[in-house]
Amino acid sequence: MAAVEDNRKETRRQRLAVLGSTGSIGTQTLEVVRAWPELFEVEMLAAHRNWELLARQAEEFEPDAVVIADERYYEPLSAALAHLPIKVYAGAEAAAASVVSSGVDTVVSAMVGFAGLAPTLAAIRAGKKIALANKETLVVAGGLVMEEARRCQAPIIPVDSEHSAIFQCLVGEAAQSVKRLVLTASGGAFRDTPLSELSRMTAADALKHPCWEMGRKITVDCATMMNKGFEVIEARWLFDLPAERIDVVVHPQSVVHSFVEFDDGAFKAQLGVPDMRLPIQYALTFPYRLSVEGAAAFEPALCGGLTFDVPDGEKYPALGLAYEVLEGRYGEGGGCVMNAANEVAVAEFLEGRIRFTNIYQIVRRALDAVPQAAPQTVEEYAAYDARVRNYVRQELLPEFVIKG
C-alpha cells in the first residue's frame, strides 16, 4: 500500500478530455476516474450520437463542455443538461475546437475510425498529452501525426493493449537495441471456424469475441484481423520501426499482450488478464502504477498452457494488406483508403447487407481501384477519405449486397 500512496503524491491531478466517452474505451476511462477522483477530473466529453449516455456522464462528472458529433441530437442533449452550467456543442468540428482548451491536460482519443483524426491532431498541436486508443489516426496519417507530435513536443502514450505492452517493455531500454516487435492476436470470433464456413457467418457470430469486451466495429475488425493489420501500421509509427521488423502471432489465451526482441536475443513480454482498464490507467498515470479496482488477479500457475501460432494468410488476408500498405504499394494515402473502405464495409456487414468475406474483398478492390494520392493536411485527408467512401458505396457495394 505504501507504494500506491507514494505514486498518488507524485502524480499530478489531470484534467481530461475524453473523445468517444460513450464507447468501450471511453466508459472504462471514466471507471478509472471514478476510482481515482483525487487524480483526475473530467473537463470535456465527446460522443458520436449516444446523447442519452453522454447526458448521464455529464451529470455525474460535470465537465466544462460536452460535444455531440451528430448535430441531430444537439437539442435533446442541450435540454437534458439545461439545469447544469455545462457548455453543449454539436458537430464534428466542435470536438477538435474543444480539446485545445487551456483547461485540458490530457486527451483520451477513443473515437472510432477516421473521426478521431482531426481532434487528435488538434490536441497534439496544442501540446496536450495524448492517451491514444484511436488506431485509425495513425493508420490514416501516421507520418503527419508523429511529425506534429515531435514538433509540438506532445507525448503520445498508447492505450491499445498490444502497443501498451510494447511501450511498457521498452521503458528503460535503448531504442537502437530493439530487433523486433511481436504483436499478439486472439484470432477473433472465428479463430476456430473453418475457412469454408466464413461466408455464412453473421454479424451476431462475429461479435462473440472469445476474450475481450469491445465495441461492435472493432470486434468485427478482430474477426477479419483487419484490426491487427491496423496495429502493425500503428506500431510502425509509434515505435519507428519498418514493417519487416514487426511480426504477428496468434495467441488464443490473450495473456501475453506483446513481445519485444532485443539484439542480444533476449525477449521481454507484458502479461496480464484481458482488462482494458490496465492500459488505460497506465497511459494516464505513466510512469507510475496504481491499483486497478476490481481487476481480476493474474495467477501464472493457473493460466494453463500458452500457445502461439503463425496467422493463417488464407483465413486472415486482411493482415497481409497492412504490410502491402506499409511497403508503399498503394502510395502515401494507402492507409486512408484501407481504413475508409473498411469502415464502410464493416457498417454494411453489421447491418446484414453484405457477407463477412466481402469485407476484405471490398477493401482490396478499393485499394486497387482508387487513384493513389499523397495527402499533406487534415483537409486533404478528409477529402480523400470522402472520395474513397463515395467510390465504395457507389461502385463496389451494389456488386456485393445480398439479394433477397
Side-chain angles (χ1 to χ4, degrees), residues 65-369:
V66 297
V67 178
I68 189 77
D70 191 326
E71 297 181 15
R72 294 175 297 176
Y73 302 105
Y74 172 79
E75 291 297 338
L77 176 63
S78 183
L81 297 177
H83 63 293
L84 295 172
I86 297 174
K87 304 179 186 73
V88 181
Y89 303 109
E93 295 179 357
S98 297
V99 294
V100 304
S101 163
S102 59
V104 173
D105 300 311
T106 300
V107 175
V108 180
S109 177
M111 282 185 164
V112 176
F114 182 87
L117 174 59
T120 302
L121 197 54
I124 287 170
R125 287 171 172 163
K128 310 299 183 181
K129 171 185 169 183
I130 309 296
L132 184 64
N134 172 274
K135 59 179 58 64
E136 291 87 355
T137 290
L138 293 181
V139 170
V140 170
L144 172 63
V145 170
M146 297 308 293
E147 177 59 32
E148 288 297 280
R150 285 187 290 270
R151 184 180 68 83
C152 301
Q153 298 183 344
I156 298 178
I157 302 179
V159 168
D160 269 351
S161 60
E162 295 82 0
H163 301 91
S164 176
I166 292 170
F167 182 84
Q168 293 178 58
C169 289
L170 291 176
V171 171
E173 299 285 356
Q176 62 268 27
S177 68
V178 176
K179 182 178 181 180
R180 180 172 60 126
L181 308 179
V182 182
L183 302 172
T184 55
S186 69
F190 302 142
R191 182 179 62 218
D192 301 317
T193 303
L195 180 64
S196 60
E197 296 180 15
L198 289 183
S199 64
R200 297 196 293 272
M201 296 297 103
T202 66
D205 297 323
L207 293 174
K208 297 174 183 176
H209 196 283
C211 302
W212 298 92
E213 292 290 334
M214 302 178 294
R216 286 161 56 85
K217 192 263 184 183
I218 192 173
T219 305
V220 174
D221 285 346
C222 286
T224 61
M225 214 176 272
M226 188 72 72
N227 186 59
K228 200 57 53 178
F230 286 171
E231 288 177 7
V232 169
I233 298 174
E234 187 180 10
R236 178 266 175 272
W237 292 112
L238 281 172
F239 306 112
D240 195 24
L241 286 177
E244 60 267 21
R245 292 169 61 188
I246 305 171
D247 289 336
V248 174
V249 295
V250 176
H251 172 50
Q253 295 81 19
S254 290
V255 169
V256 177
H257 299 308
S258 279
F259 300 91
V260 177
E261 181 184 7
F262 296 92
D263 282 336
D264 61 0
F267 276 78
K268 275 188 178 181
Q270 190 266 331
L271 289 73
V273 295
D275 186 336
M276 282 305 300
R277 291 176 302 164
L278 277 70
I280 292 169
Q281 183 167 290
Y282 186 75
L284 295 177
T285 63
F286 174 77
Y288 308 112
R289 292 183 183 272
L290 307 178
S291 62
V292 176
E293 184 178 341
F298 172 58
E299 295 294 343
L302 302 178
C303 71
L306 302 180
T307 61
F308 305 94
D309 297 300
V310 175
D312 183 335
E314 275 196 280
K315 191 171 189 178
Y316 302 115
L319 180 58
L321 283 181
Y323 284 94
E324 293 180 20
V325 166
L326 280 178
E327 290 162 2
R329 176 172 174 178
Y330 300 104
E332 294 181 35
C336 187
V337 177
M338 185 180 181
N339 177 72
N342 182 66
E343 284 192 33
V344 174
V346 169
E348 294 294 310
F349 170 68
L350 284 169
E351 292 299 321
R353 289 192 281 266
I354 65 172
R355 302 187 189 280
F356 176 76
T357 48
N358 295 153
I359 297 172
Y360 163 76
Q361 294 168 337
I362 288 170
V363 176
R364 164 67 81 184
R365 290 271 297 275
L367 281 165
D368 288 336

Side-chain angles (χ1 to χ4, degrees), residues 28-45:
Q28 290 178 88
T29 297
L30 296 179
E31 288 182 34
V32 172
V33 174
R34 289 189 192 98
W36 298 101
E38 66 272 43
L39 297 183
F40 307 108
E41 62 179 295
V42 177
E43 187 75 11
M44 192 270 275
L45 296 170

Side-chain angles (χ1 to χ4, degrees), residues 362 365-371 386-398:
I362 288 170
R365 290 271 297 275
L367 281 165
D368 288 336
V370 175
R387 180 179 183 179
V388 175
R389 291 170 192 266
N390 184 60
Y391 175 81
V392 171
R393 292 189 179 107
Q394 293 191 8
E395 303 297 329
L396 296 183
L397 281 179

Side-chain angles (χ1 to χ4, degrees), residues 24 64 79 230 279:
S24 176
D64 178 68
F230 286 171

